[in-house]
Amino acid sequence: MKSAETPIQYLKTIGPKRAVAFEKIGIKTVLDLLFYFPTQYLDRSKILSSNDAYFHVANGYEEEITIVGEVVNKEIIHSYKRKFLKVTFRDSKGFFDGVWFNGIKFFKGYFNEGDFFAISAKPAITRYGHLQFVHPDFDKLEGSESDDFLNTGKIIPFYRIPKNLKEKNVGEFSFRKLIKLAVEEYADSVKETLPEAIVAGKNLLPIQEALKAIHLPTSQNELNKAWNRVKFEEFFYFELLVALKKSFIKNDIKGNKVEVNSKLLKRFLDSLPFELTEDQLSVLHEIRLDMESSKPMNRLLQGDVGSGKTIVALISMLMAVFSGYQAALMAPTEILANQHFAGITKMTEKFGLKIGVVLGSQKKKERERIESEIASGEVDIVIGTHALFQDNINFKKLGIVIIDEQHRFGVEQRAKLIDKGRSPDVLIMTATPIPRTLSMTLYGDLDVSVIKKPPASRKEIKTYLSSENKLDEIYEFVKKKINEERYQAFIVYPLVEKSEKLEFKSAIEHFEKLKESYLTDYRVGLIHGKMKWDEKEEMMRKFLSHEFDALVATTVIEVGIDIPNANIIIINDANRFGLSQLHQLRGRVGRSDKQAYCILVTKEDYKHKGTNNKFSFEFMSQAEIERNKTAIRLNALAETSDGFKLSEIDLKLRGPGDIFGTRQSGLPELKYGNIVEDAEILFSAKESAFGVVELDPRLTSAGNQVLRKTIRQRFRNHFKFLKIG
Ligand code: ADP
Ligand code: MG
């Protein structure tokens, strides 16, 4: 049998010259070509006739449609306004036009009479009653293909043809022909990349069949099965890597074994002004078991804003500290690090511990002093920002690292700090409630603990959408709350300074305005990202000690700080912020047992005015969702305070990369699968992958040799975790 590894030049009709162009785009062998997948398909059942299309449009249908036709005429039209190209097509039911205002010369040369095209776009009907597509997407079909297609209901694959190939005269047809040839002659010789047991167990198509179906599908059903197989494999290998990494940390690295001093710990718990909630206790129990074991802890603590993670962090650190270890707590901003420092110093007052702080902005002398105290072991708990990562910070006996608000940190930084102890226990805390699919991919190697409910005394924050012309009423309300209940308020603006380019409101400008209008008789502070850190500190401190009634702010207040008496937040230009950002901002209030309020102010009115009171986008089309994104975000926020629900919605609206910033997130680059749409496949692949590693952590069994080989090829640079010989 032929080998699929055959260099591409030996595929019939390619030859050495064209092979160079293929190699340039990464297609070196026939196998590479077989894995160059179509970007879309033309399926006859999804095509409309010109007739049907016409009636769809006439009835107000606004989605993109596809229609197939033969070019019958083309002409350049000089209208009184603008020159454009009009290409007229014919199908069995009638005529329709494609119209191009740009690239006229190119398109005129491209559309030739007698050629067949599939045209896709949102059509319109002109005032002369013609069906018209403006700058549509188009794919060229060969006459015979078109006949085939129309008569037999065949599905035609479309490939993206890179420029290098087009220059060598490899166009749509010739590429399809090449692929067809490659599939017919070589697909059967492609080697299976999943173990037989998994292919059979999960009822997957063998790789050879999948490749055939992806390029030469005969039915939609077969096509779905083929893509399923490909996506499964992609998720599977990713999860296999995660499973191996987890098993490596668990079984091959020796961690600390902390002996928890129960007596001291109890004394500490008794000194707290509140009782821990059930969730906090059960999370602490999980953490304690991890710490007492000689395996390193690698745990993610999820808990919505205000759920009480800080105290869990502190108690975990005390478990280590009371038995002679040092602990480090890392926060994303200096404000937050300082707040933790102050809070923790106060709470541990009676226990004779030394607490230190490491910040980027520290003076050299101060810094050197703390560094030496860390190295000598004098300091028990160190709190800091990423400055904690720097090379001259060396712990004497680091037992536990806690990372607060993880999503702000890169994955590499995490690894770097972890290297500082021998292998300290690690607890990562996040307030971004991560949808399950994401946490599985992003944190699949971690054990997960969740604080599901905030302390019981907490009331749900009342959230309102309001337009700008209601500002009078809003400030009446704010003043009433300040006067009668001594509430404090955050007033958030999207920008620091007035901007020429952006229309959004700025904090500095409105700070001045508010002092002269609504809040004349009140004490108003200002905080923003362009202030020096000590100025920001000072502001937060003053706000905390109630020297201001209101604090005008930018998103610097977004993360973590705790002002229990601030119970109102007004967010101006709320449409400007992302959903998870708004949720975080809102989380700055409602941190005590008083009723808190969040008012989202926008210029336009986005409030849902349907007959039923819930705003649902379950049944919206993608295009409708796209158009209504802002309204969906804002109404979702008003309707629920459940961070997990909101993050699911956010994921649907924005996609996974955008939530975390793709580069920083450490998310795998997925070529075929999508963790939102293909969640079911992801779960199934994860189950298989973890099952394999559970039984055979070093992949030594005969049936797993294919895995060993494939994972080495695909993840060369992850070898640190691949203890598979
Ligand atoms: P986050 O999870 O957002 O970091 P914090 O740890 O800052 O939340 O906690 C928010 C507030 O709740 C703090 O003022 C904290 O003191 C308080 N808190 C934490 N645990 C409890 C509890 N069990 N009962 C009452 N209040 C609590
Ligand atoms: Mg916090």
Side-chain angles (χ1 to χ4, degrees):
M1 195 157 55
K2 293 180 173 180
S3 158
E5 310 276 355
T6 304
I8 192 75
Q9 72 169 92
Y10 299 116
L11 188 65
K12 253 181 262 166
T13 77
I14 288 195
K17 274 202 196 121
R18 277 163 134 196
V20 177
F22 278 89
E23 279 162 19
K24 272 200 189 125
I25 58 164
I27 300 179
K28 301 196 173 92
T29 64
V30 175
L31 189 66
D32 296 331
L33 183 64
L34 290 174
F35 276 89
Y36 194 87
F37 289 170
T39 49
Q40 26 169 345
Y41 294 90
L42 191 56
D43 177 349
R44 182 176 148 187
S45 65
K46 305 234 167 82
I47 307 277
L48 293 181
S49 70
S50 54
N51 218 356
D52 290 341
Y54 191 94
F55 285 108
H56 268 72
V57 183
N59 287 316
Y61 184 79
E62 287 202 347
E63 306 297 296
E64 179 175 304
I65 61 160
T66 301
I67 182 166
V68 172
E70 177 188 358
V71 177
V72 291
N73 186 41
K74 55 180 171 181
E75 59 183 313
I76 292 176
I77 299 202
H78 297 266
S79 89
Y80 67 100
K81 267 196 207 140
R82 257 187 106 171
K83 191 166 90 166
F84 63 91
L85 169 72
K86 185 173 94 174
V87 180
T88 303
F89 300 86
R90 173 175 62 198
D91 73 355
S92 60
K93 294 285 167 62
F95 296 88
F96 56 95
D97 296 333
V99 167
W100 282 266
F101 294 98
N102 303 317
I104 292 179
K105 215 170 129 198
F106 169 80
F107 291 117
K108 182 155 189 267
Y110 191 81
F111 291 96
N112 292 312
E113 277 162 48
D115 283 354
F116 284 85
F117 287 87
I119 298 287
S120 305
K122 217 167 90 175
I125 297 174
T126 68
R127 59 195 160 113
Y128 304 109
H130 292 297
L131 185 63
Q132 186 186 69
F133 297 78
V134 179
H135 279 257
D137 288 338
F138 51 85
D139 290 288
K140 201 171 185 176
L141 301 169
E142 215 171 27
S144 63
E145 274 181 331
S146 153
D147 289 347
D148 240 21
F149 172 71
L150 294 172
N151 298 328
T152 64
K154 206 172 119 179
I155 298 170
I156 301 183
F158 287 123
Y159 299 85
R160 199 179 55 78
I161 314 283
K163 215 170 94 224
N164 302 41
L165 292 188
K166 280 189 186 149
E167 283 164 3
K168 294 281 178 234
N169 287 326
V170 181
E172 286 90 344
F173 312 145
S174 29
F175 197 80
R176 279 204 286 278
K177 277 192 189 131
L178 276 175
I179 294 256
K180 187 157 182 276
L181 198 69
V183 170
E184 284 165 358
E185 295 195 6
Y186 293 91
D188 280 324
S189 65
V190 172
K191 293 202 185 77
E192 181 53 71
T193 37
L194 286 174
E196 192 45 50
I198 291 179
V199 175
K202 292 281 178 181
N203 192 17
L204 300 171
L205 283 186
I207 189 65
Q208 303 83 2
E209 299 311 312
L211 287 173
K212 286 181 208 168
I214 277 177
H215 295 292
L216 309 172
T218 55
S219 73
Q220 197 62 48
N221 181 32
E222 186 194 46
L223 195 56
N224 293 344
K225 281 194 87 172
W227 277 100
N228 223 52
R229 142 86 207 207
V230 170
K231 289 172 182 175
F232 180 95
E233 177 167 341
E234 181 173 50
F235 287 138
F236 175 85
Y237 274 102
F238 178 74
E239 292 295 337
L240 187 65
L241 189 70
V242 170
L244 287 168
K245 189 166 154 188
K246 184 167 180 175
S247 147
F248 170 70
I249 293 174
K250 270 251 135 58
N251 303 320
D252 297 290
I253 292 188
K254 219 171 142 38
N256 305 316
K257 196 167 166 172
V258 170
E259 274 168 42
V260 174
N261 184 330
S262 303
K263 231 166 133 190
L264 266 177
L265 203 61
K266 181 159 186 316
R267 234 183 82 201
F268 178 77
L269 295 181
D270 290 342
S271 76
L272 289 175
F274 47 72
E275 302 255 310
L276 294 177
T277 64
E278 222 167 279
D279 282 353
Q280 284 171 324
L281 286 171
S282 82
V283 163
L284 277 166
H285 179 69
E286 291 171 327
I287 292 172
R288 179 175 182 155
L289 291 181
D290 279 358
M291 291 179 68
E292 286 176 337
S293 112
S294 61
K295 294 174 178 176
M297 169 163 80
N298 225 351
R299 187 168 286 280
L300 177 72
L301 172 57
Q302 285 194 44
D304 212 340
V305 276
S307 61
K309 295 183 296 296
T310 315
I311 191 69
V312 171
L314 177 57
I315 295 169
S316 310
M317 291 197 287
L318 291 177
M319 289 187 208
V321 169
F322 288 157
S323 60
Y325 287 96
Q326 289 169 294
L329 169 63
M330 196 165 60
T333 64
E334 298 209 338
I335 294 191
L336 197 55
N338 273 308
Q339 183 172 47
H340 282 323
F341 175 67
I344 288 173
T345 304
K346 191 151 169 265
M347 279 197 270
T348 57
E349 225 162 33
K350 296 194 197 111
F351 292 81
L353 301 178
K354 186 152 173 81
I355 321 284
V357 65
V358 173
L359 303 169
S361 61
Q362 269 164 331
K363 298 224 169 62
K364 192 159 175 253
K365 249 189 145 165
E366 201 182 338
R367 180 58 167 277
E368 283 169 1
R369 186 176 50 81
I370 180 78
E371 278 168 16
S372 83
E373 287 172 352
I374 292 172
S376 70
E378 226 175 299
V379 177
D380 300 299
I381 296 179
V382 187
I383 296 155
T385 56
H386 359 348
L388 273 177
F389 291 121
Q390 272 147 13
D391 288 336
N392 21 9
I393 308 279
N394 291 300
F395 289 85
K396 177 145 189 256
K397 201 180 175 195
L398 181 58
I400 183 169
V401 176
I402 301 197
I403 302 179
D404 193 9
E405 314 283 354
Q406 147 73 14
H407 63 287
R408 315 236 144 203
F409 288 102
V411 173
E412 283 155 48
Q413 286 173 308
R414 186 199 330 172
K416 206 165 163 190
L417 189 72
I418 293 168
D419 282 344
K420 288 198 178 285
R422 259 194 28 255
S423 25
D425 289 318
V426 176
L427 181 69
I428 292 167
M429 307 198 294
T430 176
T432 312
I434 306 167
R436 197 156 75 96
T437 49
L438 250 184
S439 68
M440 265 172 50
T441 33
L442 210 48
Y443 301 118
D445 55 329
L446 306 180
D447 298 310
V448 179
S449 296
V450 184
I451 303 180
K452 295 184 204 82
K453 283 196 277 184
S457 52
R458 207 62 59 71
K459 292 195 178 66
E460 189 152 333
I461 302 167
K462 291 195 171 154
T463 304
Y464 304 97
L465 303 191
S466 184
S467 60
E468 266 170 40
N469 53 27
K470 300 259 174 64
L471 280 178
D472 287 353
E473 289 162 54
I474 293 172
Y475 281 100
E476 271 320 304
F477 174 75
V478 170
K479 287 194 280 195
K480 190 166 160 252
K481 286 288 175 189
I482 293 177
N483 295 340
E484 291 172 11
E485 299 182 55
R486 299 199 73 233
Y487 273 19
Q488 288 169 276
F490 287 110
I491 303 172
V492 182
Y493 292 94
L495 300 180
V496 176
E497 293 163 295
K498 199 174 158 74
S499 150
E500 309 233 308
K501 285 198 212 96
L502 299 167
E503 276 182 60
F504 302 112
K505 297 185 186 54
S506 80
I508 293 177
E509 189 194 356
H510 283 81
F511 169 65
E512 297 299 336
K513 281 191 183 159
L514 283 171
K515 280 198 304 186
E516 284 158 22
S517 56
Y518 295 117
L519 299 177
T520 329
D521 301 325
Y522 295 84
R523 300 165 302 165
V524 186
L526 170 69
I527 187 170
H528 59 71
K530 286 197 180 157
M531 286 160 82
K532 291 216 190 72
W533 77 271
D534 49 344
E535 293 172 327
K536 284 189 275 190
E537 280 315 298
E538 185 62 8
M539 271 298 157
M540 285 320 292
R541 198 190 53 69
K542 283 184 171 166
F543 194 49
L544 185 61
S545 58
H546 211 153
E547 290 174 43
F548 298 122
D549 302 303
L551 186 63
V552 171
T554 58
T555 54
V556 289
I557 60 156
E558 182 186 352
V559 198
I561 41 154
D562 198 5
I563 313 271
N565 193 51
N567 282 312
I568 301 182
I569 185 166
I570 298 175
I571 305 175
N572 294 284
D573 289 329
N575 51 312
R576 161 75 208 266
F577 302 94
L579 188 49
S580 59
Q581 200 177 21
L582 287 169
H583 181 60
Q584 292 292 328
L585 281 170
R586 176 170 63 177
R588 293 307 108 218
V589 301
R591 298 168 82 83
S592 71
D593 43 17
K594 288 201 183 151
Q595 179 61 57
Y597 303 88
C598 170
I599 304 167
L600 305 167
V601 185
T602 49
K603 199 182 265 161
E604 282 172 59
D605 190 359
Y606 286 102
K607 197 160 151 186
H608 170 55
K609 295 186 193 66
T611 39
N612 59 347
N613 44 17
K614 289 274 180 214
F615 184 75
S616 166
F617 68 100
E618 293 277 293
F619 301 108
M620 284 187 178
S621 71
Q622 201 54 46
E624 272 175 289
I625 290 180
E626 202 58 42
R627 275 197 300 279
N628 292 297
K629 269 185 172 174
T630 309
I632 294 171
R633 271 203 324 260
L634 297 178
N635 282 283
L637 209 70
E639 279 170 19
T640 181
S641 55
D642 179 338
F644 283 94
K645 240 186 234 160
L646 291 172
S647 72
E648 295 278 356
I649 294 172
D650 208 18
L651 192 60
K652 277 198 189 117
L653 292 180
R654 295 203 294 167
D658 282 346
I659 293 187
F660 292 91
T662 319
R663 204 178 51 79
Q664 249 226 337
S665 70
L667 268 181
E669 267 184 45
L670 295 168
K671 258 170 96 178
Y672 311 122
N674 173 310
I675 64 167
V676 181
E677 283 155 26
D678 306 315
E680 287 305 317
I681 308 177
L682 171 60
F683 294 140
S684 164
K686 178 184 173 154
E687 180 196 53
S688 289
F690 276 71
V692 166
V693 173
E694 170 110 45
L695 291 175
D696 183 12
R698 308 217 159 183
L699 306 181
T700 45
S701 80
N704 288 336
Q705 291 319 294
V706 56
L707 298 180
R708 173 189 275 267
K709 190 174 152 218
T710 311
I711 202 165
R712 282 167 156 241
Q713 276 168 357
R714 291 192 196 171
F715 296 102
R716 267 187 205 113
N717 37 11
H718 289 76
F719 257 113
K720 205 170 155 197
F721 300 106
L722 296 182
K723 278 277 181 143
I724 52 174

Coordinates of all heavy atoms in Angstrom, one line a residue, residues 309-310 340 404-405 560 591, ligand 2:
K309 N -13.5 34.5 50.4 CA -12.3 33.6 50.1 C -11.1 34.0 50.9 O -10.3 33.2 51.2 CB -12.0 33.7 48.6 CG -13.0 33.2 47.6 CD -12.6 33.2 46.2 CE -12.4 34.6 45.7 NZ -13.6 35.4 45.6
T310 N -11.1 35.3 51.3 CA -9.9 35.8 51.9 C -9.6 35.1 53.3 O -8.5 34.7 53.6 CB -10.0 37.3 52.2 OG1 -10.5 37.9 51.0 CG2 -8.6 37.9 52.6
H340 N -4.9 43.4 51.9 CA -4.7 42.1 52.6 C -3.7 42.2 53.7 O -3.8 41.6 54.8 CB -4.1 41.1 51.6 CG -5.2 40.5 50.6 ND1 -6.5 40.3 51.1 CD2 -5.2 40.2 49.3 CE1 -7.2 39.8 50.1 NE2 -6.4 39.7 49.0
D404 N -4.3 35.1 44.6 CA -5.7 35.7 44.6 C -6.0 36.2 43.2 O -5.2 36.8 42.6 CB -5.7 36.8 45.6 CG -7.1 37.2 45.9 OD1 -8.1 36.6 45.5 OD2 -7.3 38.2 46.7
E405 N -7.2 36.0 42.8 CA -7.7 36.6 41.5 C -6.8 36.1 40.4 O -6.3 36.9 39.6 CB -7.7 38.1 41.6 CG -8.4 38.7 42.8 CD -9.9 38.6 42.8 OE1 -10.5 38.2 41.8 OE2 -10.5 39.0 43.8
G560 N -11.2 43.1 44.1 CA -10.9 42.7 45.4 C -11.1 43.6 46.7 O -11.4 43.1 47.7
R591 N -21.2 43.9 50.5 CA -20.3 43.1 51.2 C -20.6 43.1 52.7 O -19.8 42.7 53.5 CB -18.9 43.5 50.9 CG -18.6 43.3 49.4 CD -17.3 43.9 49.0 NE -16.1 43.1 49.3 CZ -15.7 42.1 48.6 NH1 -16.4 41.7 47.5 NH2 -14.7 41.4 48.9
Ligands
MG2 MG -10.9 38.7 47.3

